[in-house]
Amino acid sequence: MSELEKKLAALSPEQRRLLEQRLKQKAAGERTPPQETADVLTDGATGRLQEMPGKAAADETGGTAPSGNPVGSGSGPGEGMQFSLIFFSGDGSSTAGDKYRLLIESAKFADRHGFSAVWTPERHFQAIGGLYPNPSVLSAGLATITSRIQLRAGSVVLPLHHPLRVAEEWSVVDNLSQGRVAISVATGWHPADFVLNPDIYEDRKQIMFDNLDLIRRLWRGESARFKDIAGGEAEVKVLPRPVQPELPIFCTASGNPATWIKAGELGVNILCSLANHPADALKERIELYRSKRREHGHDPDAGIVSVMLHTYVGETDSGVKEQVRGPLRDYLGTFLGQYDTLNPYKDDNAAVKDVLDNEKESLITFAFEKYFQMSSLMGSKQKCAKMIERLQKLGVNEVACLLDFGLEFEQIMQGLEHLNELKSWFTPVQETVSV
């Protein structure tokens, strides 16, 4: 008799009824958390329901600390789904005194409940996203109020910064957090940001990869030579020394397959958005990425593909849709309103601007419906679970849940409770129960 057969034979009539009921629910399409089905297996000696090993500790502390599942060794395909929180759209023009309350309280929640990471972006000079001009400063603050969760930049716009300063700043945060930092690197997407360094805009992609190589070498303790004020060269090393021997790296990818190829060749992880990748294209990009990892000697399954989704989980699809309709439409309208600064060559694209001005409401309505139905983690847990399962089939192993698109603080914190329940459905469970 197999171990499973022994456990089934030991069930009392009531326990057998519960198991049958849950199996019927699953067959009928109701999502049953894996933990609940496993919990009906019993201790053969006592006949009592037995908790999964570590269950009580997980409930109390919120899951496994990042050190137990570091970047680069996360869930492979088919091994569950990691959940992180990402911020991108906070209103920098607000005069409120508690601008960072949502970031701080969400990070505390994520730290308690076993989320994998909190991401903060680099955004400049625009109201939407202007709350986050420097992810290293924000992560330094979060390092002092968290103890487990990974603190990630999503992203550092490398062409805007001297690589020495990037390595120095994140080494400080690595020490403050006891080795919990990671960064995603980006070329930069908003032309207005490049007032900080306008001469490098056209070459920003090559500059990003050159700077990334240097930052990784500096992080390992290698020295580098830089021009000094006398016209000679000075040899320098980064201090303080970081806690982690390697800086965990993500590459922020849009639809360009060349970025996915390069990330695979370098053996770094991926941060992307579902809005930029139709399902078929995303699957192709992930397969391409993992094949390039394999070709260049990196474990193909070890790379994390983290997909950003606008997120709000609630009780019902219709209820959530009404809650997010106004804030998300405003968010989309503000985003479209950035066109003038996204287009420094205005005269060349006057026709595009005319379409945006004349069809703005129609575009917002279309975008809202698309986001809600196809490109977000919004709705009931059952609806959102289907999205997670879809992403798993595409090869995604982490969802970066975008929170700050306009909902009120209390709504978002309530939604985090539902999101945490959804997360528990996709947390891999140990298979065995002692008998």
Side-chain angles (χ1 to χ4, degrees), residues 402-421:
L402 176 64
L403 302 182
D404 59 336
F405 55 89
L407 290 165
E408 296 295 328
F409 171 81
E410 291 77 12
Q411 287 178 297
I412 296 173
M413 297 307 295
Q414 185 179 18
L416 281 175
E417 297 288 351
H418 293 293
L419 178 62
N420 188 48
E421 291 179 33

Side-chain angles (χ1 to χ4, degrees), residues 200-216:
I200 52 86
Y201 183 76
E202 296 302 327
D203 299 319
R204 64 193 185 280
K205 187 166 188 176
Q206 186 59 51
I207 289 170
M208 182 191 80
F209 284 117
D210 291 344
N211 286 355
L212 175 59
D213 177 68
L214 180 55
I215 289 165
R216 297 179 85 181

Side-chain angles (χ1 to χ4, degrees), residues 33 79 112 123 144 210 263 325 358 367 378 412 432 435:
E79 295 182 8
R112 291 194 304 270
R123 307 289 308 277
T144 66
D210 291 344
R325 184 187 301 276
N358 296 329
M378 295 184 195
I412 296 173
T432 154
V435 292

Side-chain angles (χ1 to χ4, degrees), residues 300-320:
D301 293 340
I304 296 174
V305 176
S306 186
V307 175
M308 184 183 79
L309 294 172
H310 289 69
T311 299
Y312 185 68
V313 184
E315 294 288 351
T316 66
D317 296 345
S318 59
V320 168

Side-chain angles (χ1 to χ4, degrees), residues 21-320:
Q21 180 182 15
R22 287 171 183 170
L23 290 174
K24 287 177 181 177
Q25 288 174 345
K26 186 174 182 181
E30 293 183 33
R31 182 81 195 188
T32 301
Q35 185 76 51
E36 292 185 13
T37 302
D39 286 347
V40 302
L41 298 179
T42 64
D43 183 317
T46 65
R48 295 178 301 190
L49 289 175
Q50 184 172 6
E51 290 182 332
M52 297 295 290
K55 180 172 183 281
D59 286 347
E60 181 180 352
T61 62
T64 305
S67 58
N69 184 25
V71 164
S73 63
S75 301
E79 295 182 8
M81 182 71 75
Q82 296 290 323
F83 288 73
S84 58
L85 304 183
I86 189 166
F87 294 82
F88 187 75
S89 314
D91 184 1
S93 66
S94 169
T95 58
D98 56 353
K99 297 181 183 66
Y100 295 99
R101 182 185 178 198
L102 176 62
L103 174 64
I104 290 168
E105 295 305 321
S106 297
K108 289 179 180 177
F109 182 95
D111 196 53
R112 291 194 304 270
H113 292 91
F115 286 72
S116 57
V118 172
W119 305 81
T120 48
E122 179 181 348
R123 307 289 308 277
H124 298 286
F125 315 129
Q126 300 294 314
I128 184 169
L131 204 58
Y132 312 113
N134 192 323
S136 66
V137 172
L138 292 170
S139 293
L142 296 180
T144 66
I145 60 169
T146 58
S147 60
R148 300 145 50 81
I149 200 165
Q150 192 165 54
L151 305 172
R152 299 179 187 164
S155 309
V156 176
V157 183
L158 280 192
L160 297 181
H161 306 285
H162 195 293
L164 269 175
R165 291 295 293 140
V166 175
E168 279 184 333
E169 289 176 10
W170 285 97
S171 182
V172 170
V173 186
D174 202 47
N175 279 274
L176 288 171
S177 65
Q178 293 297 305
R180 292 186 286 125
V181 305
I183 66 170
S184 191
V185 297
T187 59
W189 63 281
H190 205 306
D193 293 353
F194 284 82
V195 299
L196 295 171
N197 199 355
D199 295 336
I200 52 86
Y201 183 76
E202 296 302 327
D203 299 319
R204 64 193 185 280
K205 187 166 188 176
Q206 186 59 51
I207 289 170
M208 182 191 80
F209 284 117
D210 291 344
N211 286 355
L212 175 59
D213 177 68
L214 180 55
I215 289 165
R216 297 179 85 181
R217 289 190 283 113
L218 289 166
W219 191 275
R220 295 175 190 134
E222 297 180 27
S223 60
R225 302 186 69 83
F226 294 90
K227 186 177 180 180
D228 64 18
I229 60 172
E233 287 189 336
E235 186 172 298
V236 295
K237 288 187 176 182
V238 164
L239 296 173
R241 295 297 306 129
V243 174
Q244 298 177 98
E246 289 280 346
L247 175 60
I249 300 291
F250 289 73
C251 188
T252 302
S254 57
N256 189 345
T259 305
W260 293 78
I261 290 171
K262 188 67 173 180
E265 292 173 351
L266 295 175
V268 301
N269 307 291
I270 288 281
L271 172 65
C272 65
S273 169
L274 191 60
N276 295 331
H277 297 85
D280 290 345
L282 181 58
K283 189 174 190 296
E284 291 174 2
R285 297 291 187 273
I286 293 173
E287 290 172 349
L288 177 64
Y289 162 70
R290 298 202 185 280
S291 71
K292 292 299 177 181
R293 286 184 65 96
R294 183 182 295 105
E295 288 176 19
H296 288 263
H298 308 292
D299 181 351
D301 293 340
I304 296 174
V305 176
S306 186
V307 175
M308 184 183 79
L309 294 172
H310 289 69
T311 299
Y312 185 68
V313 184
E315 294 288 351
T316 66
D317 296 345
S318 59
V320 168

